Amino acid sequence: MRVLVTGGAGFVGSQVVEALVARGHEPVVLDALLPSAHPEPPPPRPGEHRVVADVRDRGAVDAALRGVDAVSHQAAMVGLGKDFADAAHYVACNDLGTAVLLAAMAAAGVGRLVLAGSMVVYGEGRYECRAHGVVRPGPRAVTDLDAGRFEPHCPDCGAELRPGLVGEDAPADPRNVYAATKLAQEHLAASWARATGGRAVSLRYHNVYGPGMPRDTPYAGVASFFRSALARGEAPTVYEDGGQRRDFVHVRDIAAANVRALEAMADRETDGPGRGTAREAGTLTAYNTGSGAPHTVGEMARVLAEAYGGPAPVVTGEYRLGDVRHVTASSRRIAEELGWRAEVEFAPGMREFAREGMRAGAGPGTVRRA
């Protein structure tokens, strides 16, 4: 299978390329290789054909799609960013870029897409109230955050809530610009699938970490922030009280999920309905893609610092308004339908991440997947 990987020189994309080659597929990489993301452009990997261009360049995308069977769309501007001034960059990179890609795929007759989705589309995760069952708390009040009251409460009775695992059928509730663009990408992909009869899968990544993460950038995940601080000889800075629950999933597992989804779509077309195959043509199917083992942000910082041999984390009590308290996934659907499960466990994965190097970071306007 010949697969176009957008953002294929980036953190996740490069791992997808390696996984494709290992399975005997032929990757074509489309990456802008912006100096802010790649001060020293990495050489093409064995078995990789590379096109240096922006995913918003329709002519370059048309050329890159020639002879392609499927697309793994990893190119994006990621992370919470610095402030709302970044909104135009996020929308241009993520949503316009996706629209250009999908239009080119429709014209070229390429009918299989795996989208790098994100758990941020859910907002807060799943919560239960002892009296009212499953509830969805609204955004946390600034007065509560200022007072150090970080846990959401039942919107009906104000009682404490128990966090659980969110499923793919939970309502979307994006609470920052990045989250809004990731949900828009899914809507665009679903519209493309309906219009063309294509098959689309959105892998809703949870907190991806691992070797090759970008360092010293506000456009990355919490694992990158902590590892960057340790590399500078500084203590990781933990917001709130460190009790935020997340699902940390290794980048190699994410790459394997991409390949499995691509192969499942091909299986569906050749073998018809069956176990381990993707769903019907003309639809988008979302899959939570996490480890299935929640950990707190404070725990992750502590384990990473101990493995690195650096300063212990500092819990500041500060907060970012666009953050949510708890969001962890049920990855049951992807296990049952595609046969994918994360293999890298939390502690050994963090130890590896502490040992391995990071790449130079990126600034505003970067088009990449991290």
Side-chain angles (χ1 to χ4, degrees), residues 2-265:
R2 186 174 171 90
V3 180
L4 177 64
V5 184
T6 69
F11 170 47
V12 174
S14 61
Q15 293 286 339
V16 172
V17 168
E18 286 197 4
L20 284 167
V21 171
R23 292 283 295 175
H25 301 299
E26 181 184 357
V28 177
V29 168
L30 177 71
D31 199 298
L33 292 182
L34 297 180
S36 54
H38 302 281
E40 297 180 3
R45 294 167 183 260
E48 165 193 328
H49 173 69
R50 179 177 292 179
V51 177
V52 180
D54 195 302
V55 73
R56 294 168 289 184
D57 181 341
R58 175 61 187 269
V61 175
D62 285 339
L65 283 170
R66 290 175 190 150
V68 161
D69 302 301
V71 174
S72 173
H73 183 31
Q74 307 296 317
M77 186 173 176
V78 304
L80 188 57
K82 293 182 290 187
D83 54 44
F84 198 82
D86 289 328
H89 291 298
Y90 277 100
V91 173
C93 293
N94 298 357
D95 298 338
L96 176 59
T98 298
V100 170
L101 173 66
L102 293 171
M105 290 176 63
V110 178
R112 304 175 207 152
L113 171 72
V114 174
L115 172 68
S118 176
M119 54 84 181
V120 296
V121 300
Y122 297 119
E124 288 286 352
R126 185 179 190 274
Y127 292 87
E128 288 189 22
C129 172
R130 293 183 183 279
H132 296 97
V134 176
V135 297
R136 291 189 61 80
R140 295 178 292 174
V142 171
T143 52
D144 286 337
L145 295 171
D146 286 341
R149 296 187 294 267
F150 301 119
E151 294 292 341
H153 289 80
C154 177
D156 296 318
C157 66
E160 292 186 5
L161 299 174
R162 293 176 294 180
L165 300 180
V166 64
E168 290 88 350
D169 296 330
D173 186 16
R175 297 192 177 182
N176 56 58
V177 170
Y178 172 60
T181 66
K182 298 307 290 183
L183 184 58
Q185 284 185 312
E186 289 194 359
H187 288 320
L188 288 166
S191 296
W192 164 84
R194 285 192 297 271
T196 66
R199 286 186 169 86
V201 164
S202 177
L203 299 177
R204 289 177 176 170
Y205 301 166
H206 280 246
N207 289 67
V208 187
Y209 74 97
M213 286 195 86
R215 62 170 292 178
D216 298 323
T217 169
Y219 301 92
V222 66
S224 174
F225 297 163
F226 293 166
R227 180 64 174 77
S228 296
L230 291 165
R232 297 191 302 268
E234 301 171 2
T237 299
V238 180
Y239 286 167
E240 302 186 16
D241 60 0
Q244 309 94 303
R245 286 162 51 96
R246 298 291 188 268
D247 186 325
F248 299 99
V249 58
H250 197 280
V251 66
R252 286 197 299 275
D253 284 327
I254 290 293
N258 274 267
V259 176
R260 182 67 200 108
L262 289 164
E263 292 177 341
M265 284 188 279

Side-chain angles (χ1 to χ4, degrees), residues 305-324:
E306 290 174 353
Y308 189 84
V314 174
V315 179
T316 67
E318 298 175 0
Y319 63 88
R320 299 188 303 178
L321 198 57
D323 280 340
V324 297

